[in-house]
Amino acid sequence: MPLSTQGYRISEAKMMTETGEITIRTDEKYRRKSPFVDLWKHLKRNKLAVTGLAIVTVFIIVAIFAPVLAPYDPYKQDLTIRLLPPGSPGHLLGTDEYGRDMLSRLIYGARLSLLVGFSSVGFGLAFGVILGLLAGYYSTLDSIIMRIVDILLAFPGVLLALAIVSALGPGIANVIIAVGVWSIPTISRVVRGTVLYIKEMDYIAAAKALGETDFMILFKEILPNCVSSIVVYATMRLATAILSAATLSFLGLGAQPPAAEWGAMASTGRNYIFQAPYLTLLPGFAIILVVFGFNSLGDGLRDALDPNLKNAL
Amino acid sequence: MKKSLLIMLILVLTLSFTMTACSSGSQTNNQQAQTGETEKAQEVPQEVTYVSMTDAVGLSPILTNDSASSNVIREIYETLFMRDPKTGEIKPLLAESYENPDDNTWIIKLKQNIKFQDGTPFTSEAVKYTFEKIMDPKTASPRASLLKSVSSIETPDDYTVVIHTKEPYGIMLTALAHDNLSIVNPKADQNGDINKNPVGAGTGPYKFVEWVPGDHITLEKNPDYWQGAPKLDKVTFKVVPEMATAVSMLETGEADFLVGVPPEQLDRLKNNPDIDVIEMQGNPTRYLGFNFEKKPFDNLKVRQAISYAINRDAYIATLNGLGYKSRGIIGPKLFGYNEEIEQHGYDYDPEKAKQLLAEAGYPNGFKTTLTVGNTDVYMKMAPFIQAQLKEIGIDVELNVMDWASFLSYCKAGNQELCLNGWMNVTGDGEELLYPQFHSSNIGASNYSRYNKPDMDAMIMKTRVTVDQNQRYNYIREANIALTDDVAWIPMFNDVVTLAHRKNVKGITFESNGEFRLNDAYKE
């Protein structure tokens, strides 16, 4: 173990025992080193997390630069070169039932997955964080919000998303809403738990004594302290969101043809499973890889940011 | 949160299992079959399972008009006449004989001693009841068109029906052979909803047992069937929305037969030593339909442009021999077809398409929706048409829905473009012209909402003319007129297929893709 880290440990230990003056000083020293440097130090010791980070980085780069990276237009059909197997000249991963280039479709699929993942988690966060803050802070609202959350939690996740999509109709936008709504209850629970813990701390009492408004306390004092648990949770939630969006598309409720969406691609590929199994397997592997990436990164972040969360989640 | 990882793992495992299960499944089944043969050679359970991708919409011939429903209806109910599957001739079934004292009167003698499945005797009263119910506008029967020419029905005695028509009705017998004019037991219809629970409702070889919507329909042998009890004890119509699953079920012996083998599974089934595939050039036709009440599809140039934009030959080449081309609306297997129609229609020419679109006032194309029923044959065609139309600037959004919703959606005229098919039950071109293009069937089977007085008059001639040569010419002319007008875009005609396990014998299969199980048995 590098000495410097040990050094931190000691100073942290001292922090607990010595006077407030010193505590503040160590704290500042700690902060000046930047949380990211520290986070990276923790993270890089975790091989799985580094793998996850690498996968996620590649995935995001592929998604952003899809038009540059894709060798062909993913929607260009050519019925004369249908179902070419992977490794065919000019088509590294083969072609699908309409002669569309599989590699290009997979690359563009990363875009859709990224879009659905980030926007649905963003949607879930927007509502979940606010609900969680309110429920945690105001005990009167707590029981109302949490009972509603309990009702939502009573539905198995995919079922809830299915019900929402069935009501709204198929389509990517509705999948984003459905997966987002499904994320709200869990996010608000996580946030509420953290808020309940933080609001009992002395500095909140101090802020109240100084006459800060509830709004200020919630968003300036409490929220920043929830960020680490939210980041950890959101990262893992991305994996779930991408997977459920693919599930919904696989069931025909998400992306509509001809969208290059991994779940939808795996679904249409099933008709050719005996003839061209790669049509289903390739998008399947892409989903596995990305979900694995986000999950391991999330695990690593959790260990690095807040060891206490390990048991909470 | 390891959950999602776990789900993924399960997904992968299931996938690999399904792939291995197919090969190992058929092996175990072979073993079972072998041990079965040695132990009890004669006692093969007389039960067959048919798998279909779509569930029946209903089980009353009066209220339905789709092949999934008709397949079941054909086993429960019977018609007065039927078309001989081999010769194509019309022969009496529940009827004994008929005569025409004049062009507007049909006297039909019924067979005696036939009973409905609940024991009620089959009499002329049932015929009158069924036909009058179909003709009653309140019933809103989708195939009321079959009896539109009928003015009144009389029953002078229990076994005689006299049908009077408003004008000569040249295709009366083919109409009476149509599944949707199957005779219904009035008692059963009055006592319950035979569309859901047709107990004792027909005279056919199989009786209704149960229907679990979305899963299966079970029929059992009618031991008192008037032509002698069938050999099969039980027939199950199973709904398997997934064709690949249906094919695996056939391979493992879980299912005994299916119709409409998809092109991508054909070779696999043909190479299976336990399975026979029957292939036949059929009459079902698949088309891209317009809604003539919606702009811009009322514009001939737009329809022509769309027709020029679609490369049908390239699409048919992907069907592995399970489709063949005809440029007319009435295909080669129907009465009224003439080869000259192949000089009409439009070949693939995207430049011409763009030019026509510009002439029609849409130089930059337009946006539209293509409504598709969630069935493999159309789901495969939809992205192809979407891509082809994009080439000429038409931006197509797909509107996918389940089959039953699709039919009611199009019946109500909500669609812009749609993919549909027409299977001709009677084998007569008139049975396509009248239901699909006569204005009186708008809101029922005229999904295109085609409404042209000239065409109405021409179609009426094909119905009232009793001279068959003249009728042939009228249908021929109507075919040319509709093809030139791009009333719909014929995509391809089906080569109909039935794949069955070799130990299932005696299924009657017709070029319209229909089957009958009267003589079927299992070895």
Side-chain angles (χ1 to χ4, degrees), chain A residues 75-77 79 82 97-98 100 158 170 186 233 236-237 239-240 243 247 251 256-258 267 270-275 277 280-281 284-285 287-288 291-292 295 299 302 313, chain B residues 1-2 4-5 7-8 11-12 15 18-19 22 242-244 247-248 251 263-265 268 311 314-315 317-319 376 379-388 391 398 400:
Chain A
Y75 300 111
K76 174 81 189 158
Q77 298 186 1
L79 294 184
R82 301 172 70 229
E97 70 273 27
Y98 298 102
R100 298 177 294 202
V158 175
T186 352
Y233 185 75
M236 300 224 228
R237 195 68 205 175
T240 325
L243 184 60
T247 311
L251 296 173
Q256 294 300 302
S267 172
R270 280 169 318 166
N271 287 333
Y272 301 85
I273 193 138
F274 303 120
Q275 220 180 334
T280 309
L281 291 177
F285 282 131
I287 298 170
I288 293 173
V291 169
F292 169 78
N295 267 334
D299 269 339
R302 180 186 60 198
L313 282 170
Chain B
M1 275 294 114
K2 294 265 161 68
S4 34
L5 257 176
I7 295 176
M8 278 316 303
L11 218 134
V12 175
L15 221 128
T18 28
M19 294 182 71
C22 303
E242 190 74 54
M243 198 61 195
V247 167
S248 316
E251 287 178 317
E264 54 276 6
Q265 313 280 3
R268 185 181 169 78
N311 188 348
Y315 191 75
T318 70
L319 297 175
D376 275 2
M379 286 305 286
K380 191 182 158 194
M381 220 191 295
F384 170 72
I385 286 173
Q386 191 180 32
Q388 295 269 285
E391 304 271 310
L398 298 187
V400 181

Side-chain angles (χ1 to χ4, degrees), chain B residues 182-416:
Chain B
S182 295
I183 307 303
V184 164
N185 182 357
K187 203 171 118 191
D189 188 42
Q190 283 154 355
N191 291 345
D193 182 5
I194 61 164
N195 204 28
K196 298 241 151 48
N197 187 28
V199 175
T203 56
Y206 296 95
K207 295 198 284 188
F208 175 79
V209 179
E210 63 163 352
W211 182 6
V212 179
D215 191 63
H216 70 271
I217 294 172
T218 311
L219 306 183
E220 64 178 11
K221 168 200 287 205
N222 173 9
D224 305 319
Y225 182 52
W226 60 277
Q227 297 199 73
K231 289 178 189 143
L232 292 176
D233 294 318
K234 187 172 144 193
V235 180
T236 309
F237 293 79
K238 191 145 181 53
V239 183
V240 177
E242 190 74 54
M243 198 61 195
T245 317
V247 167
S248 316
M249 285 170 75
L250 186 67
E251 287 178 317
T252 59
E254 217 181 313
D256 294 290
F257 71 105
L258 55 88
V259 295
V261 179
E264 54 276 6
Q265 313 280 3
L266 184 66
D267 294 334
R268 185 181 169 78
L269 287 179
K270 274 183 175 170
N271 293 334
N272 189 319
D274 295 330
I275 291 167
D276 261 342
V277 181
I278 308 170
E279 287 173 61
M280 213 189 283
Q281 275 209 347
N283 82 38
T285 175
R286 312 285 174 176
Y287 64 87
L288 170 66
F290 306 102
N291 183 344
F292 277 76
E293 285 179 1
K294 293 216 172 153
K295 278 192 185 302
F297 304 109
D298 54 341
N299 186 331
L300 174 65
K301 286 196 169 142
V302 171
R303 298 197 301 276
Q304 283 172 330
I306 293 176
S307 193
Y308 275 123
I310 297 172
N311 188 348
R312 271 143 290 193
D313 292 314
Y315 191 75
I316 291 172
T318 70
L319 297 175
N320 202 5
L322 289 187
Y324 64 102
K325 187 182 178 182
S326 169
R327 301 162 104 175
I329 286 184
I330 291 172
K333 291 285 150 183
L334 298 181
F335 179 79
Y337 171 83
N338 186 301
E339 273 180 17
E340 73 196 326
I341 196 69
E342 307 302 342
Q343 307 304 318
H344 296 254
Y346 307 90
D347 272 327
Y348 178 56
D349 188 346
E351 286 315 310
K352 192 98 190 255
K354 279 182 204 160
Q355 187 197 325
L356 279 163
L357 214 51
E359 282 172 28
Y362 299 93
N364 301 317
F366 53 90
K367 272 179 92 116
T368 185
T369 57
L370 172 62
T371 305
V372 192
N374 196 350
T375 309
D376 275 2
V377 58
Y378 302 119
M379 286 305 286
K380 191 182 158 194
M381 220 191 295
F384 170 72
I385 286 173
Q386 191 180 32
Q388 295 269 285
L389 295 188
K390 201 176 169 68
E391 304 271 310
I392 62 161
I394 301 178
D395 201 357
V396 180
E397 196 189 319
L398 298 187
N399 177 19
V400 181
M401 46 183 76
D402 67 278
W403 190 245
S405 316
F406 169 81
L407 289 178
S408 51
Y409 189 83
C410 294
K411 223 189 249 182
N414 294 322
Q415 83 283 17
E416 290 183 326

Side-chain angles (χ1 to χ4, degrees), chain B residues 121-133:
Chain B
F122 161 73
T123 60
S124 54
E125 207 42 53
V127 177
K128 185 176 156 76
Y129 175 86
T130 306
F131 290 177
E132 283 181 348
K133 181 138 187 187

